[in-house]
Structure formats: C-alpha cells, structure tokens
C-alpha cells in the first residue's frame, strides 16, 4: 500500500494548514500536538499509532498504513472558546463531506448504512485559560480487511468495496474541515453547520440510550441544540439536554442494541 505523501499534502493544504507532517509511528497524534509548540492548524499524520485513543479512554488501534489518522492543533481565541462544543460536530461533518454516502451518530461517529462505524473523532483540550490548545483527532478506516477490524460493527472503505487513495482522501477531509471551521466564526455559519448536521445525523428520531457522565439516559433523540448538545424526549415526559456521552441506538424490532 502506498504511504501518505507528505509533500503532496503540504502543497495542497498550505493555504489553510501551515504545518503538515507525516510520522511513521507515534504514540498518539493527539498527545504529540497537545504537548508540542506547533502553530495554529498544525497537522500531524501517523502511519501507525502505538497508543491511539478513542472516547472514554478506549484504545484506537489499526494495522500500520491502513487508516487516514491525523490530528489538528487549534489555538482558539477567547471568543472561539464559547463554541468548542461544536468542534466535534464540525469534524464529523467534514468527514461526511469528503466520503459520499456516510452519516453520523451523535456526536461524531461516521457510519455506513447508519450502522457500521467507518471513522471516529476525539477532541481534547489543554490549558484553556493560559495557553489554550485544542486538538481534533480523526481516524478513518481505509484498507482493513474485515478480519482486521477491532469490533463487529466497525468497517473500512475496503470492506465496503470502495477503494481510496489515502493521500487524496486525507486532503479532501482536511479541506472540508477548513470550511467547517470557518462556519464556527459567525452566528449564521454556526446555524448552517447545525442544520447540515441535522440532515446527516442518523441518531435523530431514534430511540437511544446515552451513557452520560451523570448516569444512563433513555429517550427519543429529538433535535440538536445550538451548542451541539443532543436533545432527548424522555419517556417519562419532558426534554433532557445531553452534552456528552456514548450513544446506543436501540433496535426495537429484535430488542438488540449496538454501539
């Protein structure tokens, strides 16, 4: 399989990302950028992450060269810090912009056919008061065989019968992300982003269980709030806003669930 072409990516993305690097192996691209001194919108790709991370402290592992895996470092202004809750949604939308036929499970799992997880996104922040840094990490499964995928509900472009040039795909996603990030800068842009997210969110209208920090919540996913929160219609009445948590779509026909 062809390695990511760092020169081609740097040339293509130079107007929106001042530093683009490709590493053969790192522990975690998120950790590398958070602990470094790179400029705003630095990008780090890794052909292999030995300590890749998913949400809730889970590992994110894949064979070397089988993914498009990268992180972007952002240095938000004071005003931009008010809208960091929309950042994971913007990143998820960017991946669906670049990969036709995909949807989103709130907040930012990228799905094929509303079920199989193709990509995951993890946002992390550090020192928001003195030296604000936020990283957005993206991992897209590209060439894995089904036997190489970590869980039954995961998939890859190859497993879906879709071949992709990883360098071209990486450039497509980052160009789409730059456009989505620009939307965060204005009220109209944020409204447009939320409306686009609603259209691609497979969670809306579903009965869901959310493993939230305050405990498990169940209801119908009714809407996305202006700050990116998930609004649930509770079976006991009323609405509840969820700002973080792992969502399970409930399959009512068989009683089975998936995550």
């Amino acid at each position: 399989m062809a390695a990511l072409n760092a020169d081609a990516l740097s040339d293509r993305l130079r107007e929106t990302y001042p530093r683009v690097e490709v590493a053969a192996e790192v522990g975690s691209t998120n950790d590398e950028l958070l602990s470094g001194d790179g400029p705003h919108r630095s990008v780090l790709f890794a052909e292999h992450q030995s300590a890749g991370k998913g949400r809730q402290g889970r590992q994110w592992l894949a064979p070397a060269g089988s993914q498009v895996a990268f992180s972007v470092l952002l240095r938000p202004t004071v005003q931009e810090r008010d809208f960091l809750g929309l950042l994971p949604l913007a990143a998820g939308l960017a991946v669906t912009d670049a990969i036709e036929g995909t949807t989103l499970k709130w907040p930012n799992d990228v799905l094929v056919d509303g079920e199989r997880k193709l990509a995951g996104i993890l946002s992390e922040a550090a020192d928001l008061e003195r030296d604000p840094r936020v990283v957005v990490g993206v991992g897209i499964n590209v060439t894995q065989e089904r036997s190489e995928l970590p869980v039954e509900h995961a998939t890859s472009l190859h497993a879906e019968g879709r071949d992709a040039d990883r360098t071209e795909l990486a450039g497509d996603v980052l160009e789409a992300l730059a456009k989505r990030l620009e939307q965060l800068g204005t009220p109209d842009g944020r409204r447009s982003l939320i409306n686009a997210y609603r259209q691609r969110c497979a969670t809306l209208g579903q009965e869901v269980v959310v493993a939230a920090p305050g405990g498990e919540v169940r209801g119908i996913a009714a809407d996305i709030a202006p700050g990116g929160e998930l609004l649930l219609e509770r079976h006991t009445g009323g609405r509840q806003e969820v700002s973080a948590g792992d969502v399970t779509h409930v399959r009512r026909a068989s009683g089975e669930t998936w995550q």
Side-chain angles (χ1 to χ4, degrees):
M1 64 188 71
L4 287 168
N5 188 324
D7 290 338
L9 286 167
S10 294
D11 288 344
R12 177 176 176 179
L13 301 168
R14 68 175 68 233
E15 292 187 7
T16 47
Y17 300 95
R19 181 185 296 178
V20 178
E21 299 177 311
V22 177
E25 181 171 341
V26 299
S28 158
T29 55
N30 271 19
D31 288 349
E32 290 288 323
L33 287 185
L34 271 182
S35 62
D37 60 356
H40 179 59
R41 291 199 181 185
S42 295
V43 181
L44 176 63
F45 288 90
E47 293 286 20
H48 183 246
Q49 295 185 87
S50 59
K53 298 185 294 183
R55 289 200 307 272
Q56 306 294 321
R58 301 186 186 98
Q59 287 187 312
W60 183 273
L61 301 175
S66 65
Q67 292 189 321
V68 167
F70 66 89
S71 296
V72 180
L73 173 67
L74 303 173
R75 295 185 176 274
T77 65
V78 173
Q79 292 78 14
E80 289 169 341
R81 288 175 227 169
D82 292 336
F83 309 110
L84 292 181
L86 291 175
L87 189 56
L89 279 65
L93 266 176
V95 177
T96 66
D97 290 337
I99 304 176
E100 185 178 354
T102 54
T103 56
L104 293 158
K105 183 175 78 167
W106 185 89
N108 52 22
D109 282 349
V110 179
L111 308 178
V112 175
D113 291 338
E115 295 187 357
R116 298 182 294 282
K117 183 174 176 177
L118 179 70
I121 294 161
L122 177 65
S123 298
E124 297 180 285
D127 204 0
L128 288 178
E129 293 301 321
R130 294 181 302 169
D131 180 22
R133 286 158 287 145
V134 179
V135 291
V136 181
V138 177
I140 306 169
N141 296 328
V142 180
T143 66
Q144 294 101 312
E145 302 287 347
R146 292 204 181 274
S147 61
E148 295 176 312
L149 294 164
V151 291
E152 184 178 353
H153 62 265
T155 192
S156 69
L157 289 173
H158 174 74
E160 297 296 328
R162 299 169 66 174
D163 293 324
D165 179 286
R166 290 192 305 131
T167 297
E168 183 176 346
L169 175 60
D172 290 346
V173 172
L174 280 164
E175 285 182 344
L177 179 59
K179 294 176 182 177
R180 292 299 181 184
L181 291 175
E182 290 301 316
Q183 289 184 299
L184 298 180
T186 66
D188 284 347
R190 292 189 289 273
R191 282 191 289 270
S192 295
L193 187 143
I194 288 293
N195 286 334
Y197 186 92
R198 289 186 179 112
Q199 293 172 8
R200 298 200 195 154
C201 184
T203 300
L204 292 181
Q206 299 254 18
E207 183 173 356
V208 300
V209 176
V210 185
E216 188 174 279
V217 184
R218 187 176 184 128
I220 302 297
D223 201 2
I224 304 298
E229 301 86 356
L230 182 65
L231 297 179
L232 296 181
E233 295 279 2
R234 299 299 303 276
H235 297 303
T236 55
R239 282 193 171 191
Q240 181 168 344
E241 187 176 281
V242 180
S243 60
D246 278 352
V247 169
T248 299
H249 294 182
V250 178
R251 296 178 187 266
R252 297 191 225 175
S254 64
E256 297 176 348
T257 63
W258 60 272
Q259 291 186 336

